[in-house]
Amino acid sequence: MALPAAFFALFFAYPVATIVGRGLRQDGGWRLGRIGDVLGDGSIRHVLWFTCWQAAASTALTLAVALPGAYVFARLDFPGKRLLRAVVTVPFVLPTVVAGSAFLALLGHNGFTDALFGVRLDTSVWAILIAHVFFNYAVVVRTVGGLWAQLDPRQEEAARMLGASRFAAWRRVVLPALGPSVAAAGLMVFLFTFTSFGVIQVLGGPTYSTLEVEIYRQTAEMLDLPTAAVLTLVQLAAVVAILTVHAWTVRRRESALRLVDAARTAHRPRGRGEWALLGAVLAVIALLILLPLGVLAARSLDAPGGYGFGFYRALGSSGDGTFLVAPLETVWNSLRYAAVATVIALVIGGLAAAALTRRAGRFVRGFDALLMLPLGTSAVTVGFGFLITLDTPPLDLRDSWLLVPLAQALVGAPFVIRVMLPVLRAVDHRLRESAAVLGASPVKVWREVELPIVGRALGIAAGFAFAVSLGEFGATVFIARPDSPTLPVAVARLLGRAGEVNYGQAMALSTILMLVCAASLLILENLRTTAPTGEF
């Protein structure tokens, strides 16, 4: 536990605390009265209310839309399943500003729905909610579906043989087993939507603003660091409260589960009900995920001289000086950074998950919640914090390429923990004890007993850590070196400049990022082992 604690303390708590301290300290004293002044502002209270409301609505809508998909991917076997599972995960790792632009093209003025049906949603909160479902659909499908696929179906069948109806068997057998997984998925969705930035920036306009957007506005546009520091504290307090409630809920429902090979539980659709459910889920995926991604690809090919690869060819040149290197080089930069960040996240997250599995108590439960804080903390704050804290020996990393992977690992490690923790806790502790009684060392117990069981989850965790590192933007935009920007940073810079060519190149880079993410996730799908385990 010492290494994960030191990592989060040094690269998360220290930078964030420094930013907050600089915002609330003046002339050597604390200005705590500033907290009341900020929270008493009517516009800030409106931002807080909208942040909570849209996060709750987005979470409920995502669970309602994605839970049927979780069942289909878990229990039904159909052609193209692995490819489709990789595709539905792509939105989750796309830079939010890119996806926001895609939804604006779909739902805004002269967009898809406006041209066909005369319906515009860009001025309503529905565009924000739909875009959030687009992003977080995979969170529910993979978190809940991964465990659902490995629940022993014989328990449900036994309940039905004893006279329970299909719904009663599901409610009394399946739902309690899935409870912690559904709660974990809901928590993740709430955190991501609570801190939503890119989607709100593009689709919210001047009417809708979240806490994360307000922190960015106060920091980068208003240069009001005290107000940004107060809002950061509010966001941290809210996330701590949410994680505390979640940890309590999971602890009450958690128990060792009997897991089986997922291949044994999946079957071809049987009956009209399952075929109708499969068709409905495929239709949702087509409209909710494939259509926006298709718009991205179409825009990248819509060059001034007609459809073609003109925007892609332009990526090979630094052009008007927007970049010190050709935009195409950002692909290699992102892959290199994401690989290093994945290794760091696996080490830190894996050790933390193992420690949380084998120890108990309030301190451990508090540590578990603290490890999730980077997902709910303003990326703007973390990025600024890196710049002003890691600038003196022995931690002068201002010119080091390692700064970017460290920031990305802060986001990837919580994913590793959340993927590994339910699986490690589901392993029967008697297996470890039996191996130890027979003389196996702790290392051998891990290698011979636990690793074969959790290997599949470890691969999935690595895939997600890699994918979210590829798409990380909020912190990277502040710390990426000008001569080696990442792909999302390059997309944002191109979108921020006027001109059809810049916009087209941004769409081309976004399409490349989309394809790289899809290829990475598809490879992981094919590398799955058959060992029973859960997944994110």
Side-chain angles (χ1 to χ4, degrees):
M1 187 180 291
L3 183 59
F7 179 83
F8 280 93
L10 183 60
F11 295 113
F12 172 70
Y14 177 45
V16 172
T18 301
I19 284 286
V20 173
R22 290 201 178 190
L24 295 181
R25 284 179 66 87
Q26 188 177 40
D27 300 328
W30 290 94
R31 297 175 58 202
L32 299 182
R34 182 65 179 163
I35 297 176
D37 296 339
V38 173
L39 297 182
D41 189 310
S43 62
I44 295 297
R45 288 204 303 272
H46 176 75
V47 169
L48 291 174
W49 161 249
F50 178 72
T51 301
C52 296
W53 179 88
Q54 64 84 25
S58 296
T59 302
L61 190 60
T62 302
L63 288 174
V65 173
L67 281 177
Y71 173 82
V72 165
F73 280 101
R75 290 298 173 85
L76 300 187
D77 189 17
F78 54 90
K81 179 178 173 179
R82 289 189 174 185
L83 175 63
L84 204 57
R85 196 196 324 249
V87 168
V88 300
T89 311
V90 171
F92 183 70
V93 297
L94 280 181
T96 53
V97 67
V98 173
S101 300
F103 269 84
L104 191 63
L106 276 175
L107 307 175
H109 179 62
N110 290 329
F112 182 80
T113 57
D114 189 19
L116 290 184
F117 311 109
V119 175
R120 287 182 56 187
L121 298 177
D122 57 320
T123 55
S124 73
V125 73
W126 282 105
I128 295 173
L129 300 182
I130 294 172
H132 282 163
V133 177
F134 166 79
F135 269 113
N136 297 299
Y137 185 87
V139 175
V140 178
V141 166
R142 300 190 76 102
T143 303
V144 181
L147 183 60
W148 205 337
Q150 295 179 313
L151 291 180
D152 192 343
R154 288 175 296 184
Q155 297 177 11
E156 186 178 359
E157 294 168 1
R160 296 200 62 190
M161 289 182 65
L162 293 174
S165 64
R166 180 184 290 271
F167 177 73
W170 181 83
R171 182 170 60 85
R172 295 182 178 179
V173 177
V174 178
L175 186 58
L178 289 177
S181 184
V182 173
L187 166 71
M188 287 187 180
V189 175
F190 189 89
L191 280 178
F192 298 144
T193 51
F194 188 81
T195 58
S196 184
F197 178 70
V199 168
I200 306 293
Q201 279 282 76
V202 175
L203 300 176
T207 307
Y208 303 108
S209 178
T210 59
L211 205 52
E212 181 80 359
V213 174
E214 191 64 23
I215 291 173
Y216 174 80
R217 194 173 73 87
Q218 296 292 340
T219 303
E221 297 178 3
M222 307 294 290
L223 303 178
D224 187 351
L225 198 57
T227 299
V230 172
L231 296 180
T232 297
L233 284 177
V234 171
Q235 186 161 301
L236 275 173
V239 172
V240 168
I242 295 165
L243 294 178
T244 301
V245 173
H246 171 263
W248 177 79
T249 304
V250 170
R251 192 167 60 252
R252 283 174 58 89
R253 297 180 177 180
E254 209 164 53
S255 61
L257 300 174
R258 183 175 180 178
L259 303 180
V260 298
D261 185 357
R264 290 169 47 192
T265 65
H267 60 270
R268 301 285 291 179
R270 296 189 292 253
R272 285 184 294 182
E274 288 192 344
W275 279 108
L277 179 62
L278 175 60
V281 168
L282 293 179
V284 167
I285 292 174
L287 292 175
L288 181 68
I289 295 175
L290 295 181
L291 185 58
L293 296 180
V295 168
L296 275 181
R299 289 294 181 93
S300 72
L301 296 172
D302 190 10
Y307 276 92
F309 294 94
F311 292 136
Y312 289 88
R313 287 192 290 270
L315 295 176
S317 169
S318 56
D320 59 359
T322 303
F323 301 99
L324 297 179
V325 297
L328 200 57
E329 292 188 25
T330 61
V331 178
W332 164 245
N333 293 338
S334 290
L335 292 174
R336 181 164 54 100
Y337 290 146
V340 177
T342 300
V343 173
I344 298 173
L346 283 178
V347 172
I348 300 300
L351 289 175
L356 293 171
T357 304
R358 300 184 182 188
R359 301 185 182 183
R362 291 184 177 180
F363 174 77
V364 173
R365 292 196 293 271
F367 182 62
D368 183 12
L370 288 175
L371 294 176
M372 292 289 288
L373 280 180
L375 292 180
T377 305
S378 167
V380 175
T381 302
V382 174
F384 266 131
F386 266 47
L387 289 180
I388 66 173
T389 56
L390 304 180
D391 61 344
T392 54
L395 277 176
D396 186 1
L397 301 178
R398 287 172 298 178
D399 297 327
S400 173
W401 63 270
L402 195 58
L403 206 57
V404 173
L406 285 172
Q408 293 174 342
L410 277 176
V411 181
F415 279 92
V416 174
I417 295 169
R418 293 269 69 85
V419 171
M420 298 298 299
L421 198 54
V423 181
L424 288 172
R425 285 175 172 168
V427 175
D428 193 336
H429 65 89
R430 291 172 297 185
L431 294 175
R432 304 189 190 102
E433 295 172 354
S434 299
V437 169
L438 293 173
S441 65
V443 174
K444 191 170 184 178
V445 170
W446 163 254
R447 187 180 68 243
E448 301 293 338
V449 177
E450 292 186 286
L451 185 58
I453 298 176
V454 304
R456 179 168 175 265
L458 196 63
I460 298 298
F464 266 93
F466 181 79
V468 297
S469 297
L470 277 177
E472 205 288 324
F473 170 71
T476 306
V477 69
F478 291 102
I479 57 180
R481 294 168 50 175
D483 59 346
S484 57
T486 64
L487 205 154
V489 172
V491 171
R493 288 183 184 175
L494 288 168
L495 285 175
R497 296 177 65 86
E500 184 180 4
V501 174
N502 288 322
Y503 182 79
Q505 289 186 75
M507 294 299 101
L509 275 180
S510 300
T511 303
I512 291 174
L513 177 59
M514 177 179 69
L515 294 175
V516 170
C517 292
S520 303
L521 295 169
L522 185 59
I523 291 172
L524 285 170
E525 291 289 337
N526 290 323
L527 288 177
R528 285 165 177 257
T529 68
T530 57
T533 181
E535 68 174 314
F536 171 67

